[in-house]
């Protein structure tokens, strides 16, 4: 089984309608290239100041996901529209929510980002996602005719136990839509994406936002698609754009057969000390 996957790198702004139109354009371009799966970056439909989060959050399903579902149905492809800010109905904070959309049935999986980015990076203003966002709790894998797909978002990338859970649940492709900061991106982005692919012997599709943003942190770009051996098979620079790569599940099975690290796991080590 093989299929073509696309990752979209973009610079979203606080203009939701403009972001949605741009995303639709990139998805159509990917479809024209033959992509059966398209993945957008984190908070693709709105990026702005944290204090404006609640005013720009939406229900899921809601206006943005309905629009993306209609596009997926029209083009006949699977679509992961990065993530959007989902209204939580309490305390003004929103979930950072990623959905996977089927061309036939609409939303088939919904994941709320578990790990929130509360950090102090040298040379940068402190970032406190937890002030405006609520964490999710569930690990999510969606079974599709293409393959089982695991959902994660950005900062989750630093927590390998999540990706092990996704792989144990059957994921063969895992998504990491992101807005990685420039300092952390330079230092860690490629290393972390490749590590999650290598240790779990999965494909990682990791579209990042890119560029300078007047009302949010600057994003690193360098979106990537990485194969189960850890090879970078598609990578962007710092400009918005489209990545395409072949997902070869026969190759994935061959990697796992030749180097059966997943079979060699000692599950007794996964408990707490």
């Amino acid at each position: 089984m093989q299929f073509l996957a696309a990752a979209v790198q973009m610079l979203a702004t606080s203009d939701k309608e403009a972001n949605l139109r741009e995303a639709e354009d990139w998805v159509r371009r990917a479809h024209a290239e033959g992509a059966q799966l398209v993945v957008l970056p984190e908070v693709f439909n709105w990026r702005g100041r944290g204090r404006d989060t609640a005013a720009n959050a939406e229900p899921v399903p809601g206006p943005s996901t309905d629009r993306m579902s209609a596009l997926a149905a029209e083009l006949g492809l699977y679509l992961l529209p990065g993530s959007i800010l989902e209204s939580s109905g309490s305390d003004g904070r929103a979930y950072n929510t990623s959905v996977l959309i089927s061309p036939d049935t609409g939303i088939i999986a919904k994941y709320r980002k578990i790990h929130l980015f509360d950090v102090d990076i040298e040379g940068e203003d402190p970032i406190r996602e937890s002030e405006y966002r609520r964490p999710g709790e569930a690990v999510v894998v969606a079974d599709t005719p293409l393959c089982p797909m695991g959902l994660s978002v950005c900062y989750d990338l630093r927590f390998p136990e999540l990706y092990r859970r996704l792989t144990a649940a059957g994921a063969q492709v895992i998504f990491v839509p992101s807005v990685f900061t420039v300092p952390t991106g330079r230092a860690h982005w490629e290393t972390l994406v490749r590590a999650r692919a290598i240790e779990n012997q999965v494909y990682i599709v990791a579209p990042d936002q890119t560029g300078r943003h007047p009302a949010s942190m600057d994003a690193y770009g360098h979106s990537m698609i990485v194969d189960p051996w850890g090879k970078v098979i598609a990578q962007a620079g710092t400009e918005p754009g489209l990545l395409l790569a072949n997902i070869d599940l026969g190759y994935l099975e061959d990697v796992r057969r030749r180097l059966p690290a997943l079979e060699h796991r000692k599950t007794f080590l996964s408990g707490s000390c």
Side-chain angles (χ1 to χ4, degrees):
M1 174 72 177
Q2 298 185 28
F3 60 91
L4 189 66
V8 175
Q9 180 163 290
M10 52 187 293
L11 172 57
T13 69
S14 57
D15 185 335
K16 188 177 287 189
E17 177 59 28
N19 296 332
L20 287 165
R21 287 199 305 267
E22 180 182 352
E24 288 169 336
D25 181 61
W26 284 119
V27 174
R28 291 184 185 281
R29 292 192 201 187
H31 174 258
E33 295 287 342
Q36 295 168 267
L37 168 69
V38 184
V39 187
L40 303 174
E42 182 183 16
V43 291
F44 84 98
N45 70 330
W46 182 84
R47 278 182 70 201
R49 301 186 189 281
R51 62 176 178 264
D52 298 325
T53 291
N56 289 279
E58 300 181 11
V60 176
S64 292
T65 56
D66 287 351
R67 192 159 162 176
M68 292 294 106
S69 293
L71 182 63
E74 175 194 342
L75 300 179
L77 50 73
Y78 283 84
L79 177 59
L80 186 114
S83 74
I84 73 166
L85 299 177
E86 179 193 6
S87 306
S88 70
S90 62
D91 72 13
R93 295 188 296 168
Y95 293 109
N96 190 349
T97 300
S98 184
V99 300
L100 180 62
I101 297 170
S102 160
D104 303 315
T105 57
I107 295 173
I108 57 172
K110 182 170 82 169
Y111 167 74
R112 291 166 168 168
K113 182 180 177 184
I114 292 173
H115 301 97
L116 300 183
F117 194 52
D118 287 359
V119 300
D120 295 288
I121 301 167
E122 186 175 356
E124 298 286 318
D125 292 334
I127 299 172
R128 297 287 182 270
E129 272 194 340
S130 61
E131 289 185 13
Y132 304 104
R133 300 183 186 177
R134 296 174 62 85
E137 297 179 350
V139 177
V140 178
V141 174
D143 195 16
T144 79
L146 296 177
C147 71
M149 300 177 182
L151 280 65
S152 71
V153 176
C154 198
Y155 189 50
D156 286 332
L157 188 61
R158 294 182 180 274
F159 301 89
E161 59 273 19
L162 171 60
Y163 295 82
R164 188 62 92 200
R165 287 276 304 277
L166 292 169
T167 303
Q172 295 178 313
V173 173
I174 299 178
F175 308 119
V176 194
S178 298
V179 184
F180 242 67
T181 72
V182 171
T184 59
R186 286 177 181 152
H188 305 141
W189 172 248
E190 182 170 333
T191 298
L192 289 169
V193 175
R194 293 184 66 198
R196 298 296 85 84
I198 292 166
E199 67 198 8
N200 294 295
Q201 299 176 318
V202 295
Y203 284 92
I204 300 284
V205 183
D208 196 17
Q209 295 228 22
T210 190
R212 181 167 293 280
H213 193 294
S216 181
M217 60 192 179
D218 296 341
Y220 180 61
H222 298 85
S223 300
M224 303 171 67
I225 303 176
V226 180
D227 77 12
W229 190 250
K231 180 181 179 182
V232 179
I233 54 176
Q235 186 169 22
T238 58
E239 297 298 320
L242 181 67
L243 299 180
L244 295 164
N246 191 50
I247 305 298
D248 185 343
L249 301 179
Y251 175 70
L252 179 148
E253 294 299 336
D254 189 57
V255 168
R256 291 182 175 185
R257 179 179 60 82
R258 292 176 180 272
L259 201 167
L262 296 175
E263 296 178 18
H264 295 161
R265 288 178 58 230
K266 306 301 181 186
T267 55
F268 69 84
L269 295 175
S270 62
S272 60
C273 296

